[in-house]
Amino acid sequence: MLKIIAVLLLWECNVTAQQSHNIRVLAHFNHNTYHSSCWGYEAGGREYAIYGWYEGTSIVDITDENNIEEVVFLPGRLSGWREMKIYKNYLYIVSEADSSGMQVVDLSGLPNTVDPVNTYFFNGFRRAHTISQNGRYLYINGGNYREGGIVVLDAGADPERPLKLGEWQEDYVHDCRVVNDTIWACNPLTGKISVIDAVDKSSLRTITSWVNGLYPVPHNCALTEDHKYLFVCDENFNVPGKLKIWNITDKNDIIFASEWKVNGTSESVHNVEIFGNYAFLSYYGEGAIVLDIRDPVHPVEIASFKTTACWQVYFFPSGKIIASDIYDGFYVLNTLDPIRVNNINTVSERFSLSQNYPNPFNPVTKIKFAINGNPAAQTILSVYDILGREVSVLVNKQLPPGTYEADWNASAYPSGVYYYRLESGSYADTRKMVLIK
């Protein structure tokens, strides 16, 4: 187990003098070196901020705003680029340092200890630029592997040693967002956004792509809660990079809706995260910015905190905001006018669809799934053949929160590949199974 390592941090007492609007600084850490991304984790009634910097990754307990402290430091290969995501109680960290792989860390021992259980590699993979997560699946973006596209990993069966599934290598991908088996990938080298069908994660398929408006260098994107609009950040250093807003109601007819930028700036917007009716921007030269997006086509700025080169902003259900800046370090913030977002946990974390067992099978297999929505949601579990034709409906009813199991008897069906799909409320997931007779 990794014991707590004390790291000398510089507390900047004068941060409250920085330019801000409707934001208060709760804490500030600066290692006087390069800092990178940040993310959040909640467990046991406590909130933890996780941020990367040149020498590794720090975990900070931010539960009590009057007693914010770093509790763990995880050394890593030296890198100014570090990104991280969470699945269950596991932290996954990637960087651009050569041969850094993907660090896998068990967080279940917090706040006292964590356990670095693995540094993950697969054949040809040494490093990555970013990592995305949706449910049990991890998506490795950029880096050295092949064209720097996307590689899908399944962490469901063994979170410490994920299983490599499929990949998409039609273009370099800097970052991607995954919602309901659809990948929205940012391709900065060609200026495009690619939409990828990930129903079968061993065989990703391009649905469509388009150029991200004028002067496109798409870096990161996020979907509104109703999945009708896509917010895309252009990291363009020659022409001010804007936030482009696209109507994505019809994937075959993507429509430009509007754009947004800080008035008078020549800086670029770097990343966007959407929680409920709010978009949280990290903006080079402008810092952390909060937009009210109840009207997604006409965002309204409601809060801001100016920093030098903001990398990432993340929001916690308590209303705390964390922001990392390449040069200025790491901040814990909150808005003077409280922001509240209901049901902030992603849908994919509140539902799950397990791999059938046995697989391959003959002729009966079991399928487990979990429903944690409230109130009870209409839930459908169906089986499809390889051509996408529905061959059986195993569940079609309203189900309260709980864990369920359904059997499929395929004695009347020929050998081959089949898919089973769970839909409950706004959640949907699909898995593959093999019938061998």
Side-chain angles (χ1 to χ4, degrees):
M1 301 290 282
L2 183 73
K3 299 297 182 181
I4 297 177
I5 301 175
V7 177
L8 179 63
L9 301 174
L10 176 64
W11 177 277
E12 298 286 354
C13 296
N14 64 345
V15 292
T16 54
Q18 290 184 269
Q19 182 178 338
S20 65
H21 166 236
N22 191 28
I23 278 185
R24 178 168 65 107
V25 179
L26 303 179
H28 178 212
F29 301 89
N30 192 341
H31 296 269
N32 293 318
T33 185
Y34 297 112
H35 304 79
S36 45
S37 193
C38 63
W39 206 246
Y41 175 63
E42 301 160 64
R46 308 198 70 80
E47 294 178 318
Y48 299 95
I50 303 167
Y51 70 95
W53 54 287
Y54 188 65
E55 295 182 12
T57 304
S58 290
I59 301 176
V60 179
D61 189 334
I62 66 169
T63 309
D64 179 359
E65 67 178 54
N66 297 310
N67 187 31
I68 293 173
E69 61 177 351
E70 182 184 73
V71 293
V72 171
F73 170 65
L74 291 157
R77 288 184 176 264
L78 301 181
S79 178
W81 289 264
R82 212 175 298 278
E83 294 265 349
M84 65 288 299
K85 289 295 184 292
I86 301 283
Y87 170 60
K88 292 186 175 179
N89 56 290
Y90 286 91
L91 169 65
Y92 300 89
I93 308 167
V94 298
S95 84
E96 283 280 13
D98 198 39
S99 299
S100 56
M102 180 177 71
Q103 289 178 278
V104 184
V105 183
D106 184 350
L107 302 178
S108 58
L110 283 172
N112 299 313
T113 63
V114 298
D115 187 7
V117 294
N118 192 15
T119 300
Y120 175 87
F121 296 92
F122 56 82
N123 188 31
F125 167 67
R126 301 191 310 275
R127 55 182 172 81
H129 194 70
T130 60
I131 180 172
S132 307
Q133 176 265 337
N134 182 251
R136 64 189 285 169
Y137 300 104
L138 307 173
Y139 299 80
I140 302 295
N141 311 301
N144 75 288
Y145 183 73
R146 294 189 63 186
E147 302 303 316
I150 299 171
V151 176
V152 185
L153 307 177
D154 183 355
D158 186 351
E160 299 181 5
R161 297 167 185 80
L163 175 66
K164 180 179 179 291
L165 299 179
E167 57 187 77
W168 185 89
Q169 300 292 343
E170 295 181 20
D171 201 346
Y172 175 82
V173 175
H174 180 279
D175 203 352
C176 73
R177 189 75 57 171
V178 187
V179 177
N180 290 349
D181 295 322
T182 301
I183 303 173
W184 304 82
C186 293
N187 312 129
L189 301 185
T190 56
K192 294 180 179 180
I193 307 296
S194 296
V195 188
I196 303 164
D197 183 339
V199 170
D200 181 354
K201 292 172 178 58
S202 63
S203 181
L204 306 184
R205 179 182 62 85
T206 303
I207 299 172
T208 189
S209 66
W210 76 95
V211 175
N212 193 45
L214 295 175
Y215 312 112
V217 188
H219 177 274
N220 151 275
C221 63
L223 283 77
T224 55
E225 197 170 49
D226 61 7
H227 304 163
K228 292 182 179 179
Y229 292 89
L230 184 74
F231 284 39
V232 184
C233 300
D234 270 334
E235 189 182 26
N236 192 328
F237 295 105
N238 297 315
V239 178
K242 298 179 180 179
L243 179 70
K244 309 282 180 60
I245 303 169
W246 300 87
N247 185 324
I248 58 169
T249 305
D250 183 351
K251 293 186 183 71
N252 296 310
D253 186 21
I254 307 293
I255 300 171
F256 178 74
S258 68
E259 61 186 22
W260 189 92
K261 74 178 187 69
V262 176
N263 289 331
T265 188
S266 59
E267 302 286 355
S268 290
V269 60
H270 186 230
N271 282 325
V272 58
E273 297 295 332
I274 292 177
F275 297 92
N277 292 321
Y278 302 95
F280 296 81
L281 305 184
S282 48
Y283 219 114
Y284 288 129
E286 298 297 330
I289 296 172
V290 185
L291 303 180
D292 183 329
I293 58 169
R294 283 176 289 184
D295 179 354
V297 180
H298 303 99
V300 176
E301 181 181 320
I302 61 170
S304 63
F305 179 73
K306 194 174 181 68
T307 67
T308 304
C310 194
W311 184 302
Q312 179 72 33
V313 180
Y314 183 92
F315 178 77
F316 286 84
S318 66
K320 297 186 188 75
I321 300 167
I322 58 174
S324 56
D325 183 278
I326 296 173
Y327 307 107
D328 297 347
F330 171 75
Y331 294 91
V332 184
L333 313 166
N334 68 4
T335 54
L336 300 179
D337 296 325
I339 292 175
R340 291 290 179 263
V341 176
N342 296 325
N343 299 322
I344 194 170
N345 290 333
T346 61
V347 171
S348 61
E349 291 172 336
R350 293 186 282 116
F351 295 77
S352 66
L353 178 63
S354 300
Q355 186 64 52
N356 65 300
Y357 180 82
N359 187 44
F361 67 98
N362 177 27
V364 178
T365 189
K366 294 182 180 295
I367 301 171
K368 291 184 178 180
F369 59 95
I371 302 295
N372 295 320
N374 192 18
Q378 187 69 26
T379 300
I380 302 173
L381 178 64
S382 302
V383 179
Y384 298 84
D385 65 16
I386 198 168
L387 298 178
R389 297 173 299 196
E390 185 179 85
V391 298
S392 182
V393 177
L394 307 181
V395 177
N396 187 358
K397 63 173 67 174
Q398 280 200 334
L399 293 178
T403 301
Y404 298 89
E405 185 177 277
D407 291 344
W408 186 43
N409 187 329
S411 56
Y413 299 93
S415 298
V417 174
Y418 292 85
Y419 297 91
Y420 57 98
R421 182 173 179 83
L422 177 68
E423 297 179 76
S424 185
S426 61
Y427 173 82
D429 196 6
T430 304
R431 290 184 173 277
K432 181 171 69 173
M433 56 185 170
V434 179
L435 170 63
I436 297 178
K437 291 186 173 180

